[in-house]
Structure formats: structure tokens, C-alpha cells
Amino acid sequence: MKESSLEFFSEDIEFHLNDPLAVKEWVQKSILNEQLSPGDLNFIFCSDKYLLKINQDYLNHDYYTDIITFDYRDGNVISGDLFISIDRVKENAKNSSLDFQSEIHRVIIHGVLHIMGYNDKTPEEESIIRSKEDFYLSL
């Protein structure tokens, strides 16, 4: 069986997670808890401008967002690219009176949950994904 790979990159900004090894272990445990297998996940930290361009070019959306996920899931193996705007995460944290670390972890698990098959298009779906976020943030 192929080993999973969780990697962290920066595009157009300088950013490093405080404890990347702990985040990798946490993400892997979260995936395993859903009865799924971790595959290759790339977390790419970037600016608002960089993520807006991805949103425009690939999704035909013309607005800022905190995360865009590209899902490469293969059966039960969770793989994908997750682009995260550090500008947006900072703004979200400020607006909800949270510290940056809590917000970056929320955005990370939110993206992983999307690749695991959870959506947030309807109020019911949003309620489910939020409760999953809260559960995994408490681990």
C-alpha cells in the first residue's frame, strides 16, 4: 500500500505552520476516524490575490474566499490540493474574535471535510460540516 503524503507549501507569501507534524497527524487521524484513508494532500498557503485568480480561472467566481479545494479522491483514499488564503484567514479570525491558530486549523479541517464528501451548500449541510469541524477541532 502506498504511503500517504501531507505537504505544506507557500505561494507568493512567506508562511509556515507552527507545528506541521502535529497538524499532519491530526489531519490523518481525522480522515481515519471517518473510515477513510489519507492519500496525498497538498496544503498551499497563499495571498488573497493568488486565491482570487484561482477562483476566477478555475471556478468562474469573482470573489475572495479562505479556501479552495481540488478533490482528487480515489474511492476511500482522500487526496487533493487545498489552497488557503492567509489574508482571508487573518481577516476571518479578526472578525470572529478568534486567534489565528484556531482559524487556520478550522479552515484546514473544513477543506479536508470537503474532500471527504461533506458540503455546505444548504443550511442542513452547513450544520453537519460545522459540527464535524467542531468535533475535529476538539481533538
Side-chain angles (χ1 to χ4, degrees):
M1 183 167 168
K2 183 183 172 299
E3 182 116 352
S4 71
S5 165
L6 272 74
E7 302 293 334
F8 302 104
F9 303 96
S10 292
E11 282 293 335
D12 88 329
I13 61 164
E14 188 66 33
F15 178 77
H16 302 282
L17 284 173
N18 280 354
D19 192 348
L21 187 58
V23 172
K24 284 181 185 186
E25 290 173 358
W26 168 62
V27 167
Q28 288 173 325
K29 281 182 191 168
S30 300
I31 293 168
L32 291 169
N33 192 68
E34 295 286 323
Q35 314 302 310
L36 299 166
S37 299
D40 296 329
L41 291 169
N42 297 304
F43 296 86
I44 302 100
F45 302 107
C46 58
S47 68
D48 264 353
K49 185 179 173 186
Y50 189 91
L51 197 56
L52 177 61
K53 179 119 178 70
I54 290 173
N55 215 4
Q56 292 166 334
D57 291 351
Y58 293 94
L59 303 174
N60 291 319
H61 296 159
D62 192 19
Y63 54 81
Y64 292 114
T65 186
D66 52 6
I67 187 166
I68 293 176
T69 58
F70 292 94
D71 181 350
Y72 310 132
R73 180 178 174 164
D74 184 13
N76 282 345
V77 180
I78 302 305
S79 296
D81 292 329
L82 299 91
F83 290 84
I84 298 174
S85 167
I86 295 303
D87 297 327
R88 203 63 8 230
V89 172
K90 287 177 182 172
E91 186 73 20
N92 291 351
K94 190 175 130 194
N95 290 341
S96 38
S97 302
L98 291 171
D99 65 285
F100 175 80
Q101 288 302 4
S102 298
E103 183 63 10
I104 192 76
H105 291 155
R106 186 193 67 75
V107 173
I108 286 170
I109 201 63
H110 182 84
V112 173
L113 286 164
H114 272 306
I115 294 175
M116 287 194 275
Y118 293 96
N119 291 307
D120 52 10
K121 299 281 188 242
T122 68
E124 184 183 359
E125 289 175 339
E126 188 169 348
S127 174
I128 291 168
I129 202 169
R130 292 285 178 233
S131 71
K132 289 280 183 184
E133 282 173 23
D134 292 342
F135 173 75
Y136 289 115
L137 287 168
S138 74
L139 296 183

